[in-house]
Amino acid sequence: MEYIKRAEERKEVVDTAVQAAVTEIINNVRTKGDAALREYNERFDQNTRECLRVSREEIEAAYQRMAPEDLADIRAAAANIRAFAEAQRATLGELRDFSPVPGVHLGHRIMPVSACGCYVPGGNFPLYSTALMLVVPAKVAGVKRVCAVSPAVRGENAIHYKTLVALDVAGADEIYAVSGAQAIAALSYGTESIEPVDLIVGPGNRYVAEAKRQCYGQVGIDFIAGPSEVLVIADGSGDPVTVAADLLAQAEHDVNAKSILISTDKAFAEKAIAAVEEELTTLPTAGIAGKSWEVFGEVLLAEDADEAIRYANDYAPEHLELNVADPDRYFEALTNYGSLFIGQNTAEVFGDYASGTNHTLPTVKAARYTGGLWVGTYLKTCTYQSMSDAASREIAALAARMAYGEGLHGHARAAEERLKEK
């Protein structure tokens, strides 16, 4: 693999200052409850509201601010996300009355968690698409209580109106104007206003990520999200300007975002680099995207498709694009990615907003062992069993022998009770 543009190494460094700050925030929320949430709201967001929960009146007022075409777009995107989540849910079936031996009846049920918390970041932009991505599949899964938290617009005491509308369209049952690690702590342990949940999903900054890490166990989480990533494999058959646009679409997320191009055609790679530099001269978010591209943008020349595939599988990117003439050549061989976008017609940005797949995806090589958020994230597969008298006796003897072999005499005696005449 030859580097045409080499990025700086993005080292995963344990930030002890962040860890300590988050630990203090969690402890304060556990001790002081809503008072701590109000204190942090004012300190970090200039949010001085007393009632943390967003009222129905606020939501209705947000609808009044929406342009009709924007509301129609949110509803259309939600419909696509919902349709795909419903199709995914249909693939998950219960298992009933399976018998490995006569008289033993086994099965599993698929059940939603009772309550989940959805963290919708505010950050530099109102990420109302994330509201749809988190809440819609939760409702499709059948979660009874979907609780959303999101920061207020700085100094306005209110969540951005588009985010509020998206949360309502998606079906959120409760919405709170709370941000950061303190929101994760509140969802995990509860306060006077916010009842704790069973599962927390959604991306956030390093404080949110660290809070999810520290609260895991008290509450379930989807995964720990890092800076966003895209890896594009191009064989030179496509348009370098289109590839450049896709690289910068990812770069504008964050100065730490990672945009990678692997090409088997050197001339194409060089044209894509030139196209990136050209677009940066007019891109309104060039301040962020340009820094990300300068520091972490990477362009590599692969000897052939096999080398490109090996690199992609090792990197395990969040988003993987195939800008190639023969995607079937790559499809089966690619195994590690958050979401795959096949062909030049299929922009990664479509998945970010409206095609129907989820944009909450694993980063920093987590795609080696997990996929992205989906309807199954909110579901539990729980087994059950029952036995006839004859089967119980047969299994009891086997279980007792194995328990004695492990030195667990209490286990053995519990099994042997089933061998006695009652």
Side-chain angles (χ1 to χ4, degrees):
M1 190 77 71
E2 175 187 339
Y3 283 88
I4 299 175
K5 180 185 183 302
R6 187 185 292 269
E8 290 186 16
E9 185 178 358
R10 193 167 69 183
K11 296 180 180 179
E12 294 301 316
V13 179
V14 175
D15 192 328
T16 56
V18 170
Q19 286 182 335
V22 168
T23 298
E24 180 181 354
I25 289 171
I26 292 171
N27 289 336
N28 279 342
V29 171
R30 293 184 67 179
T31 303
K32 300 177 182 177
D34 285 351
L37 296 181
R38 293 189 188 96
E39 176 189 335
Y40 289 126
N41 270 353
E42 185 168 1
R43 184 192 306 180
F44 298 131
D45 300 325
Q46 287 80 61
N47 172 7
T48 59
R49 62 186 293 150
E50 281 295 312
C51 183
L52 301 172
R53 184 167 178 173
V54 175
S55 67
R56 188 68 223 174
E57 289 75 19
E58 287 180 86
I59 295 170
E60 292 301 330
Y63 274 98
Q64 295 303 312
R65 297 179 64 182
M66 291 290 294
E69 58 270 23
D70 290 342
L71 180 57
D73 287 345
I74 286 175
R75 285 174 170 160
N80 289 348
I81 296 163
R82 184 175 296 109
F84 187 63
E86 289 172 346
Q88 289 182 310
R89 180 65 182 88
T91 68
L92 302 172
E94 296 196 352
L95 178 62
R96 295 181 179 272
D97 204 25
F98 173 75
S99 294
V101 294
V104 175
H105 304 279
L106 312 179
H108 74 229
R109 297 173 63 198
I110 298 176
M111 300 173 287
V113 299
S114 297
C116 73
C118 300
Y119 187 88
V120 181
N124 298 312
F125 310 100
L127 299 179
Y128 52 92
S129 61
T130 299
L132 303 177
M133 297 289 177
L134 302 181
V135 175
V136 168
K139 298 306 289 186
V140 170
V143 179
K144 291 181 179 178
R145 175 175 168 250
V146 179
C147 176
V149 292
S150 190
V153 176
R154 191 173 295 274
E156 291 189 15
N157 288 359
I159 296 171
H160 194 281
Y161 70 95
K162 288 186 179 179
T163 299
L164 276 184
V165 168
L167 286 169
D168 191 62
V169 168
D173 300 298
E174 302 168 19
I175 306 171
Y176 297 89
V178 186
S179 67
Q182 58 272 23
I184 302 302
L187 291 171
S188 300
Y189 293 97
T191 69
E192 299 91 329
S193 295
I194 304 175
E195 292 183 18
V197 299
D198 305 310
L199 171 73
I200 297 175
V201 300
N205 63 20
R206 55 185 178 158
Y207 291 90
V208 170
E210 179 59 26
K212 287 171 71 176
R213 191 192 313 276
Q214 291 190 26
C215 291
Y216 176 63
Q218 172 67 25
V219 68
I221 64 171
D222 46 2
F223 40 75
I224 305 295
S228 198
E229 308 157 345
V230 67
L231 190 155
V232 181
I233 297 177
D235 62 3
S237 62
D239 175 23
V241 175
T242 299
V243 168
D246 288 354
L247 294 170
L248 287 177
Q250 207 62 35
E252 75 174 353
H253 269 296
D254 186 298
V255 293
N256 294 309
K258 181 88 172 179
S259 302
I260 306 170
L261 169 62
I262 301 176
S263 181
T264 53
D265 183 317
K266 187 172 185 178
F268 181 91
E270 291 171 342
K271 289 177 183 177
I273 292 173
V276 166
E277 298 301 331
E278 177 63 26
E279 184 174 344
L280 282 172
T281 63
T282 60
L283 188 66
T285 54
I288 296 172
K291 183 67 173 177
S292 168
W293 175 252
E294 176 188 353
V295 178
F296 295 117
E298 199 154 68
V299 180
L300 303 98
L301 179 65
E303 182 177 333
D304 52 26
D306 290 335
E307 187 174 35
I309 289 167
R310 285 194 299 272
Y311 185 94
N313 280 336
D314 179 68
Y315 194 86
E318 178 186 17
H319 308 95
L320 178 57
E321 288 192 13
L322 291 179
N323 195 298
V324 296
D326 182 17
D328 290 343
R329 164 73 180 80
Y330 295 79
F331 184 80
E332 294 295 338
L334 289 166
T335 55
N336 294 339
Y337 51 81
S339 193
L340 181 65
F341 303 83
I342 304 169
Q344 183 165 285
N345 291 334
T346 314
E348 181 273 319
V349 70
F350 296 164
D352 278 349
Y353 291 108
S355 63
T357 60
N358 209 286
H359 77 201
T360 310
L361 301 169
T363 60
V364 291
K365 291 199 170 186
R368 292 172 297 124
Y369 56 82
T370 186
L373 187 143
W374 67 303
V375 69
T377 302
Y378 305 88
L379 298 170
K380 307 175 294 182
T381 302
C382 301
T383 59
Y384 60 87
Q385 55 193 279
S386 66
M387 298 182 189
S388 67
D389 182 67
S392 177
R393 290 175 172 276
E394 184 174 343
I395 293 293
L398 171 60
R401 291 194 300 271
M402 295 184 72
Y404 279 128
E406 292 187 345
L408 296 174
H409 292 256
H411 282 63
R413 289 180 182 181
E416 288 173 337
E417 281 295 318
R418 271 70 182 181
L419 295 172
K420 296 177 180 180
E421 294 295 336
K422 300 294 186 182

